[in-house]
């Protein structure tokens, strides 16, 4: 090195990197105590045949093998796959359309609309479930509206019929998650440069082409966030099923993995099996979230 020339540091400028880890340490400790430790404890319990009261016996991977062979559990995962359509796909589609329409129309009082659409996210799911259970009741508002419109033949016990119970729960999920998607997409549309819309209109693009060629490509990051949040909400659905339907019924037609975890741990005395299912559901949520993130990241990279 020539004399008099200042020595260049190999690390980043400013404070040493280890200081940054000290700033992160409190959050890491809290995360480890309330998330990582319970997750590790649950994984350990999943290796035992334990009823939660007596002494447990080592089971190894037997609980996980039993999960794969359980036909009822496969049906529960099938139900959550149906709920993914109502909790994720439909809200994202509805959110894109509504956000684009609100942006094009330049509606006054946008803050009110944002608040009203986002309100279901703020209300506790137990309250939402109780309210919609009343709406779906045989003498509830939905059947009353159908009879008033002359469609009394369509009235039914929505939550008491195995053919309609899961769809009824799913529509509640669509109502709850659509507001989140709309708020996310409205924020994203507001950041799209106005020149892109003007260029599309100069090219003769109509509303549909503008939506397809400008709005959707510009909102890929927001769509990824919305897909992640709504998918996780679908996978961990428990409170709506617990409040709206009797024990995942009728006839286990609405049971989902999260409800199965509760039922096995607190009703059937299969704590080890419940822990194994919890670990499996956590791993599935992680893989799905990682896949959505990679797809959204790949699209942004293009």
């Amino acid at each position: 090195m020539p004399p008099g020339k200042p020595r260049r540091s190999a690390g980043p400028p400013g404070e040493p990197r280890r200081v940054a880890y000290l700033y992160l340490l409190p959050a890491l400790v809290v995360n480890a105590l309330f998330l990582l430790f319970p997750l590790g404890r649950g994984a350990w319990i999943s290796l035992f045949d334990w009823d939660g009261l007596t002494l447990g016996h080592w089971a190894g991977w037997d609980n996980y093998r039993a999960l794969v062979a359980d036909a009822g559990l496969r049906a529960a995962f099938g139900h959550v796959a149906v709920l993914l359509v109502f909790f994720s796909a439909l809200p994202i589609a509805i959110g894109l359309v509504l956000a684009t329409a609100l942006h094009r129309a330049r509606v006054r009082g946008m803050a009110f609309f944002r608040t009203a659409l986002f309100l279901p996210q703020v209300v506790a799911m137990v309250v939402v479930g109780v309210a919609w259970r009343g709406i779906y009741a045989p003498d509830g508002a939905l059947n009353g509206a159908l009879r008033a419109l002359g469609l009394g033949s369509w009235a039914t016990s929505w939550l008491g019929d195995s053919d309609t119970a899961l769809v009824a729960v799913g529509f509640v999920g669509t109502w709850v998650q659509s507001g989140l998607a709309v708020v996310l997409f409205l924020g994203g549309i507001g950041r799209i440069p106005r020149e892109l819309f003007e260029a599309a209109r100069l090219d003769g693009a109509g509303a549909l082409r503008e939506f397809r060629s400008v709005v959707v490509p510009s909102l890929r990051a927001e769509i990824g966030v919305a897909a992640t949040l709504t998918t996780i909400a679908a996978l961990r659905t428990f409170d709506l099923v617990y409040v709206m339907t009797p024990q995942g019924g009728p006839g286990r037609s609405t049971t989902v993995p999260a409800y199965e975890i509760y039922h096995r741990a607190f009703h059937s005395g299969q704590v080890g099996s419940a822990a194994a299912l919890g670990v499996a559901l956590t791993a599935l949520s992680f893989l799905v979230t990682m896949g959505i993130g990679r797809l959204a990241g790949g699209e942004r990279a293009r």
Side-chain angles (χ1 to χ4, degrees), residues 221-240:
E222 287 77 9
I223 292 173
V225 172
T228 299
L229 295 177
T230 54
T231 298
I232 291 174
L235 290 174
R236 64 180 178 85
T237 299
F238 166 76
D239 31 24
L240 285 181

Side-chain angles (χ1 to χ4, degrees), residues 2-290:
K5 187 176 181 179
R7 184 177 180 181
R8 299 181 61 183
S9 174
E15 295 179 336
R17 183 172 297 180
R18 59 178 176 271
V19 176
Y21 289 118
L22 290 177
Y23 293 147
L24 295 174
L25 184 60
L28 291 175
V29 170
V30 173
N31 189 67
L33 286 176
F34 294 100
L35 181 63
L36 298 181
F37 176 75
L39 182 60
R41 177 65 175 168
W44 176 249
I45 293 174
S46 70
L47 301 177
F48 288 85
D49 181 12
W50 186 40
D51 61 3
L53 297 173
T54 61
L55 184 65
H57 302 282
W58 177 260
W61 299 103
D62 289 347
N63 286 327
Y64 292 94
R65 297 190 187 98
L67 295 181
V68 176
D70 192 333
L73 190 57
R74 289 198 296 270
F77 276 99
H79 296 158
V80 86
V82 173
L83 291 182
L84 280 172
V85 176
F86 290 98
F87 276 70
S88 186
L90 283 178
I92 289 174
I94 293 170
L96 285 170
V97 173
L98 280 180
T100 304
L102 289 172
H103 181 264
R104 284 180 63 89
R106 303 289 182 183
V107 178
R108 290 185 177 182
M110 186 63 72
F112 168 77
F113 283 102
R114 288 175 186 264
T115 303
L117 291 169
F118 194 75
L119 189 61
Q121 287 285 322
V122 180
V123 180
M125 280 295 147
V126 174
V127 177
V128 171
V130 171
W132 277 92
R133 187 176 63 188
I135 293 172
Y136 283 135
D139 57 348
L142 178 56
N143 284 337
L146 290 174
R147 294 187 183 99
L149 294 172
L151 301 173
S153 60
W154 290 16
T156 184
S157 177
W158 298 96
L159 297 175
D161 188 341
S162 59
D163 293 330
T164 59
L166 184 63
V167 175
V169 174
F171 271 116
V172 177
T174 302
W175 177 74
V176 171
Q177 301 299 330
S178 293
L180 171 65
V182 171
V183 171
L184 282 173
F185 298 152
L186 278 174
I189 292 176
R191 291 192 294 271
I192 299 176
R194 186 175 300 177
E195 292 79 6
L196 292 178
F197 291 104
E198 294 175 352
R201 290 164 188 169
L202 287 175
D203 287 342
L208 183 59
R209 183 180 168 191
E210 181 181 300
F211 174 78
R212 187 177 64 251
S213 60
V214 177
V215 174
V216 174
S218 300
L219 292 181
R220 293 195 185 279
E222 287 77 9
I223 292 173
V225 172
T228 299
L229 295 177
T230 54
T231 298
I232 291 174
L235 290 174
R236 64 180 178 85
T237 299
F238 166 76
D239 31 24
L240 285 181
V241 171
Y242 181 80
V243 172
M244 294 180 66
T245 63
Q247 300 180 356
R252 296 174 64 86
S253 60
T254 60
T255 185
V256 290
Y259 181 82
E260 281 291 327
I261 294 172
Y262 163 78
H263 181 75
R264 295 184 183 206
F266 298 102
H267 287 272
S268 301
Q270 305 176 61
V271 178
S273 178
L277 180 54
V279 172
L281 187 59
T282 301
L284 177 62
S285 301
F286 176 78
L287 291 175
V288 171
T289 302
M290 186 172 63

